[in-house]
Each structure stands twice: as structure tokens, then as C-alpha cells.
Amino acid sequence: MADLIEFHRVGLEDRDTILAFLEDNPYCNCDYSFGNLYNWGFLYLTSVAFHKGMMVVRFRSKETGSEAYLTPIGNGDLREVLIDMEYTGQVNGHPLILMAVQDSALEAIEQCHPTSIKVFKNRDNADYIYDRNKLETLSGKKLQSKRNHINKFKRLYPDYQYEPLSDANVEECLELERHWLAETEETPGVDDEKVMVTRALTEWKEIGLRGGCIRVEGKVIAFTMGMPINPHCFGVHIEKADTDYEGSFTIINQEFVRHLPERYVRVNREEDLGLEGLRKAKLSYRPLAILEKHKVAVSFE
């Protein structure tokens, strides 16, 4: 007999429990980061359950009410928990849909021997995974153009400073975000992103976000923020820069990675969402891997 799973909305009180699960997280996709779960919770009605030794995350559409889950992580019986997930969804009239399923997670689900499984691929949702050392050094012929950007920035702004995110500069980062929005072309989802970034900057300390900024002539001209996904992979969730300062994106990328704790040997810079300019920019850094994430419909009946 399957058991009903009781979910609650992800809140700051869940941070330490979720971070403890991420210490054993076998996956490297950005959706598991507490920063993403909490910061985007207003849009996806993100809920969590700690059920039979596993962390189960559920997203719900505001428009349709449809539900989707991350692949559970933890030390419990995955098959048993998936069956409970299917049963819980059925009570609410929803099939079991898993999202952001990377190939290794798909293998784990298949080993649970569901009655049926359907996989829907979407390249636009793939994460970009980078070697931390490569982002830091920008070594090699293929990254020569990035080194050129860095060198030009340092020639133009030799007195630039890198600062960790702090109470002393967070308001300036918010001001840069407002400037970025004013200068950026209106695109779908930009209003939701504004809410997310404002939440992240306003509550950065409580959330546990790590961030940094670049200061030129006393002015913050770039900032970035992120959180761990697992013990070896760090997720960069937010990156903003004033493009009036040539090379501003390149320098904040490099300096932030340079200041990460050594244990993070991989950096996840998230999806390109099918946006041509964003895809070109992410590919230009020569990712170590493009981590495909699938939507998977599963049934045990």
C-alpha cells in the first residue's frame, strides 16, 4: 500500500535540511540548489517533503495546476518513494511527471522497473558544466578571446576591485540590477526574474548565497551569486554587469570562480533557455559538458 506524501512550501527554515541532503547529491543539475528552490518558489509554488529518508521536491503550475517533481535524493528506497509520489499525485488528479532528469537519474529510475516510462528531451533546458580551473585560468587557444577581454578590462580599469557580497555593497548591487533592467530589452519572464533577483539580494545572508562584485572608480559595475549543488559542483544563478564597461561580464565570471572554495571543481552556469545570444555566450566558454535534462513520465501501475 502506497503512502501519501505531505509537502510544504520551501522556506528558509528548510535551508539546513536541504543543504544536508545536497552533501550526498549524486546529480549536478542546477535545479537542486537551495538558492533556486527558494528564490523561484513564488513562481513554481515549490514544495518539499522529507519522506522515508529522501528529499522530494514538487513544482506546481499557477496556470494549470499541473505538477512535476525532481528525482528524489537521499538514502531511502527510490522505487518505494516514486510509488508514493505517483499515489500522492493521483489523489490530486495528476500523473507522475519528473523534470530536469539527467541521464544518470534516468538510469536510476529505470532500475526501479516502472510499468511505463516516457522520456521527452529538450536541449533548451540543458545545463552548462565547466571545469573550475578552466574558468579561472582561461588557459588554452580556444579561450584566447576571453583572456583578451580580461587583459583589456585590466588596462582600461587597472584599479578595479573584487569584493565578496556583503551588507556594505548589496544595496549597490540592487541599484545595478535596476539599471540593468532599465537598459535591457523587454523579454518574456523578465518581470519574474526581477522578483527572483530582488529576493536573492534582499535575503542573501539568510538564504546562504555566496556572491561577489566588481567595483570600478567606486562604483559597482558587476555582481554574481550562487550556491552549491553538491559537494563538488557550484551553481552560478545570477550574473549582472554594466556593459558600458567592456569585459565586465568576463571579469566577474573569472574573479568569482577564483574566490570559490577549492572543493568546487565544477561550475554549473545553468541553461540557455533556447535564447540564441545566451547559447552563444555559454558555448564560448567551452563547457566541459552540456548536461541534458529531460521530462519523464513514469507509472508503476
Side-chain angles (χ1 to χ4, degrees):
M1 178 66 183
D3 294 319
L4 199 66
I5 303 176
E6 295 188 10
F7 289 89
H8 64 271
R9 288 288 297 277
V10 171
L12 291 173
E13 65 278 6
D14 296 307
R15 184 192 71 177
D16 291 347
T17 305
I18 289 175
L19 290 179
F21 272 96
L22 295 184
E23 280 296 310
D24 294 315
N25 182 16
Y27 309 125
C28 201
N29 82 57
C30 67
D31 305 87
Y32 286 93
S33 160
F34 177 72
N36 277 336
L37 294 176
Y38 179 75
N39 291 333
W40 286 106
F42 72 95
L43 182 62
Y44 301 116
L45 306 180
T46 310
S47 298
V48 67
F50 306 108
H51 179 75
K52 296 183 178 179
M54 304 200 84
M55 181 177 88
V56 187
V57 175
R58 182 182 69 191
F59 306 101
R60 180 174 285 159
S61 168
K62 285 183 177 180
E63 289 75 25
T64 66
S66 61
E67 298 176 351
Y69 300 83
L70 292 181
T71 306
I73 59 172
N75 297 318
D77 185 313
L78 178 59
R79 187 176 195 276
E80 183 179 352
V81 172
L82 286 170
I83 290 171
D84 289 349
M85 289 162 63
E86 182 177 31
Y87 172 67
T88 302
Q90 286 173 340
V91 169
N92 298 317
H94 300 291
L96 178 55
I97 303 293
L98 300 172
M99 60 160 285
V101 180
Q102 64 185 71
D103 288 343
S104 56
L106 181 58
E107 290 173 9
I109 294 165
E110 289 172 338
Q111 289 171 9
C112 294
H113 305 294
T115 306
S116 70
I117 184 167
K118 295 179 181 177
V119 180
F120 306 89
K121 299 190 175 187
N122 186 347
R123 169 64 175 82
D124 296 348
N125 290 336
D127 286 352
Y128 289 77
I129 310 295
Y130 301 85
D131 178 90
R132 177 257 181 80
N133 185 59
K134 276 287 188 181
L135 287 182
E136 186 174 341
T137 63
L138 299 173
S139 60
K141 186 176 180 180
K142 292 179 179 178
L143 291 172
Q144 179 65 54
S145 64
K146 301 299 181 186
R147 296 198 300 277
N148 291 344
H149 286 148
I150 293 288
N151 293 334
K152 185 170 184 180
F153 182 90
K154 290 179 176 179
R155 285 198 305 272
L156 290 170
Y157 314 107
D159 297 325
Y160 84 94
Q161 295 173 297
Y162 173 84
E163 299 174 2
L165 185 70
S166 69
D167 290 337
N169 55 38
V170 70
E171 182 56 44
E172 292 171 279
C173 293
L174 279 164
E175 180 57 37
L176 175 57
E177 164 68 2
R178 289 189 284 268
H179 171 76
W180 184 87
L181 283 167
E183 297 294 317
T184 300
E185 182 180 341
E186 184 78 18
T187 56
V190 71
D191 289 338
D192 292 329
E193 183 182 293
K194 175 184 176 182
V195 174
M196 183 275 289
V197 174
T198 301
R199 169 181 277 196
L201 284 168
T202 303
E203 302 181 57
W204 71 274
K205 192 179 293 184
E206 294 83 359
I207 297 167
L209 286 157
R210 176 184 289 268
C213 64
I214 298 292
R215 190 181 294 277
V216 171
E217 297 175 349
K219 178 184 177 183
V220 170
I221 61 103
F223 73 90
T224 189
M225 307 173 75
M227 282 192 81
I229 297 168
N230 65 34
H232 309 295
C233 185
F234 193 92
V236 175
H237 308 325
I238 300 166
E239 187 178 81
K240 305 287 183 178
D242 186 339
T243 53
D244 288 341
Y245 295 81
E246 189 175 347
S248 54
F249 273 107
T250 317
I251 194 74
I252 186 61
N253 184 339
Q254 183 190 50
E255 287 284 3
F256 182 62
V257 171
R258 181 176 287 168
H259 287 83
L260 283 177
E262 289 184 2
R263 74 175 194 165
Y264 300 114
V265 295
R266 300 286 180 264
V267 176
N268 183 324
R269 291 181 57 80
E270 303 196 345
E271 312 99 328
D272 62 34
L273 305 176
L275 300 173
E276 184 178 350
L278 195 55
R279 179 167 296 186
K280 183 178 179 182
K282 290 180 184 288
L283 288 171
S284 71
Y285 276 96
R286 304 294 173 173
L288 180 71
I290 295 174
L291 186 69
E292 293 199 25
K293 303 183 299 186
H294 320 302
K295 182 170 78 170
V296 180
V298 180
S299 177
F300 288 89
E301 293 193 343

